[in-house]
Amino acid sequence: MGKRGWILLLTTLFLVITGLTLQRREQEIVWEQAGVTKAEALEAECCGDAETEEESEEENGRDAAGGGQGTEDTERGDEGESERFSSEAVEENSSEVSEAFAGTSASWGSLAVSAASPSSYRLSAFEQGDGGLSIRVLIGTSDYAELLHDAVLVTSDEDFLMEGTQQDTVYAAGTEVDVTPDFLERYGGRVIFSGSGSFYLLNVERSCGTPAYPGTIECTNYSGQIGVVNELLLEEYLELVVPAEMPDSYGMEALKAQAVCARSYSCSQMLEGKYASYGADVDDSTASQVYNNQAWSEKAAEAVAATVGEVLVNEGEIVEAYYYSTSCGYGADVSVWTDSVVCSFVAASSLTVSREVLDLSGEVSFRQFLESSQDSWDSDSPWFRWTADRSVNELTELVNTWLTGQNRNPVGTVTGMTVEERLESGAVIALGVSDTEGRTEITGTDNIRNLLGSSSLTVMRQDGSEQAGMSLLPSAFFYVEETEEGWCLHGGGFGHGVGMSQDGADGMAEQGYTYPSILSFFYRDVELCRLYDHVQ
């Protein structure tokens, strides 16, 4: 081959290699926009079925465009333990959770469901029966003020059994058993009530009255006080968490998203072992998730059943799927609580299709943001904007009460209040209070919200309605304006602002988004995985 031939050959090879490189780069850009890693895309190219994927996208696009509200229930038989995590079982139900997001070029969309192995997501600590996972819930007193009880009055609507280390006793339906520390000591310090009916703790009141508890009730003597643990299937537990955490007037897809979040949060809490000293996984208050505070709801139960066994997974672990009521139009990350923990699956961004990232740490930029018209998913919520007034006397009393609780000396009359530091999400993390004797700085969003809230606090919401007696400021997303009588707090949102806005989820559901799309909007780099696909 002559010199000219070699030149032509080398030139041809160069053009081919360059073309392949540009083609691959174009593919990588598509992968990046879709939130898919290069490794995941290459694996899909090697193992995927192009025809099946194309058909799935077409079908899912129609469903999302049509609203995505209804899915036919899949009939689930009594598969064996080895089949629970099989790919066939997942494929049978994949149509319920794989609707694709359509109608925007945003880089978020629907989540596909996959089967999970118990050990894959740190579930080896869970004891799984034929009906799925069980959870142990520590039941607090009527006002949630205490974890332990002085006494408990237990009954059931069916005949029930009380098991103790000394002896077992059968009681007729309606019998009231007065469980006291002395009573427990006669039976070895602990008793377990079981039966086919529901149990009632007659001296424990909730918003719904005296709730019915499925499963078993276990009472244990802890040095003269009683710990009450309700053990039941996780799916039964969720049926009583979802209506307590989200009104059943919300859209079905929002309720499904809430069910997945609640299940994920529960599993994460079970692994954390916060209440292990009481033989429990979680408690029934906002410290974990509110349980059995509202009546059972058929719509909420349907949402739980439609997502049975599904959790969110990030980097091989079930995520602690944080959620809250309403945003100010911008979501926060975990820096609202700590600056030492990295949490990749939640990030600060606007609650709009673009998920725009802003810097709201400056007073001017935050005030402009709060006063501007925001097209947020939850902008129609009454809590989206609010105001609250604090007089000089009120703030002086609040600051001194807070300082006393911190074992610090009280101050003089308060003369000024300023925001000292904000996060980029706009949340106030340092508040300065001047007084006639000096200056006090309060740090931490929880401390600031506790300081400014009290039984005398009345908040005016954007729809003109008032909420009185708020012991906690609605959120840490506010700015301060001085008035003749003191200060006015102009704020937005309700809750900590991390993870899923429940009102935002409902707003997305109203726009026709399915729950996988809602979840993929609020949580980054997560998979929707099924731990089990039926409950007996």
Side-chain angles (χ1 to χ4, degrees), residues 117-384:
S117 164
S119 60
S120 297
Y121 306 112
R122 296 180 61 210
L123 291 177
S124 57
F126 293 154
E127 180 180 349
Q128 291 187 265
D130 291 337
L133 302 178
S134 294
I135 188 169
R136 292 172 59 84
V137 188
L138 185 65
I139 308 299
T141 59
S142 291
D143 54 3
Y144 295 112
E146 303 292 339
L147 293 174
L148 300 179
H149 304 249
D150 294 327
V152 184
L153 197 58
V154 181
T155 189
S156 176
D157 53 13
E158 299 284 348
D159 293 350
F160 59 103
L161 173 68
M162 185 186 74
E163 302 174 71
T165 57
Q166 306 298 327
Q167 68 182 70
D168 298 343
T169 306
V170 176
Y171 292 101
T175 303
E176 298 177 4
V177 183
D178 189 9
V179 180
T180 65
D182 290 340
F183 176 91
L184 289 174
E185 285 308 301
R186 295 200 300 270
Y187 288 91
R190 175 179 300 167
V191 296
I192 300 174
F193 297 94
S194 61
S196 58
S198 297
F199 287 96
Y200 299 84
L201 309 177
L202 299 180
N203 56 336
V204 174
E205 293 293 319
R206 296 291 183 254
S207 295
C208 60
T210 303
Y213 292 93
T216 65
I217 296 292
E218 181 178 309
C219 299
T220 305
N221 184 12
Y222 289 98
S223 302
Q225 287 190 299
I226 302 169
V228 179
V229 172
N230 178 206
E231 182 172 356
L232 69 166
L233 288 174
L234 178 59
E235 299 300 312
E236 291 181 308
Y237 165 76
L238 294 172
E239 288 186 7
L240 293 168
V241 167
V242 172
E245 291 285 2
M246 178 179 278
D248 67 1
S249 59
Y250 283 25
M252 178 55 75
E253 296 303 303
L255 288 165
K256 290 178 185 177
Q258 177 65 57
V260 174
C261 288
R263 189 180 293 106
S264 303
Y265 191 87
S266 300
C267 290
S268 177
Q269 291 287 294
M270 291 165 77
L271 291 166
E272 186 177 310
K274 180 179 178 180
Y275 297 95
S277 59
Y278 299 106
D281 300 309
V282 296
D283 80 346
D284 65 343
S285 76
T286 55
S288 296
Q289 294 180 116
V290 179
Y291 164 66
N292 224 353
N293 191 47
Q294 299 293 333
W296 181 89
S297 159
E298 182 176 354
K299 188 176 178 182
E302 182 182 344
V304 173
T307 63
V308 62
E310 291 173 11
V311 293
L312 295 175
V313 173
N314 171 259
E315 297 181 355
E317 295 186 6
I318 298 176
V319 305
E320 195 167 7
Y322 309 109
Y323 55 88
Y324 60 101
S325 172
T326 316
S327 79
C328 68
Y330 201 83
D333 56 29
V334 295
S335 60
V336 298
W337 298 311
T338 176
D339 58 2
S340 61
V341 176
V342 177
C343 185
S344 62
F345 60 87
V346 289
S349 70
S350 64
L351 267 70
T352 59
V353 171
S354 65
R355 292 202 301 197
E356 185 180 5
V357 177
L358 304 171
D359 184 354
L360 302 178
S361 59
E363 285 305 298
V364 173
S365 61
F366 178 77
R367 181 165 181 165
Q368 288 177 341
F369 176 84
L370 214 63
E371 292 178 346
S372 63
S373 176
Q374 298 297 322
D375 187 22
S376 171
W377 294 120
D378 49 8
S379 57
D380 290 337
S381 168
W383 286 111
F384 188 68

Side-chain angles (χ1 to χ4, degrees), residues 10 85 100 107 129 160 164 212 228 291 312 321 371 382 423 442 447 519 533:
L10 291 173
F85 303 102
S107 61
F160 59 103
V228 179
Y291 164 66
L312 295 175
E371 292 178 346
L423 297 171
I442 299 92
N447 287 332
L519 293 169
D533 59 17

Side-chain angles (χ1 to χ4, degrees), residues 433-455:
V433 178
S434 303
D435 66 273
T436 53
E437 297 181 8
R439 183 173 177 80
T440 302
E441 185 171 288
I442 299 92
T443 59
T445 57
D446 289 343
N447 287 332
I448 292 168
R449 292 177 66 193
N450 273 295
L451 167 73
L452 296 174
S454 72
S455 58

Side-chain angles (χ1 to χ4, degrees), residues 42-92:
L42 292 175
E43 181 180 358
E45 288 178 359
C46 295
C47 307
D49 184 332
E51 182 179 358
T52 302
E53 291 170 358
E54 184 178 4
E55 291 175 355
S56 176
E57 289 174 1
E58 181 182 357
E59 178 63 30
N60 292 336
R62 286 197 299 269
D63 189 69
Q69 290 291 336
T71 55
E72 294 183 2
D73 293 334
T74 301
E75 185 175 347
R76 300 182 177 93
D78 296 333
E79 294 90 353
E81 183 71 17
S82 62
E83 296 178 12
R84 180 180 304 159
F85 303 102
S86 67
S87 58
E88 290 81 6
V90 172
E91 290 171 359
E92 288 178 4

Side-chain angles (χ1 to χ4, degrees), residues 404-463:
T404 301
Q406 300 290 313
N407 295 319
R408 295 167 62 180
N409 295 327
V411 299
T413 302
V414 172
T415 58
M417 176 170 56
T418 57
V419 172
E420 296 297 313
E421 185 179 358
R422 290 185 188 278
L423 297 171
E424 289 187 2
S425 63
V428 179
I429 57 169
L431 188 71
V433 178
S434 303
D435 66 273
T436 53
E437 297 181 8
R439 183 173 177 80
T440 302
E441 185 171 288
I442 299 92
T443 59
T445 57
D446 289 343
N447 287 332
I448 292 168
R449 292 177 66 193
N450 273 295
L451 167 73
L452 296 174
S454 72
S455 58
S456 64
L457 177 64
T458 297
V459 177
M460 175 73 75
R461 300 187 292 187
Q462 72 171 2
D463 64 351

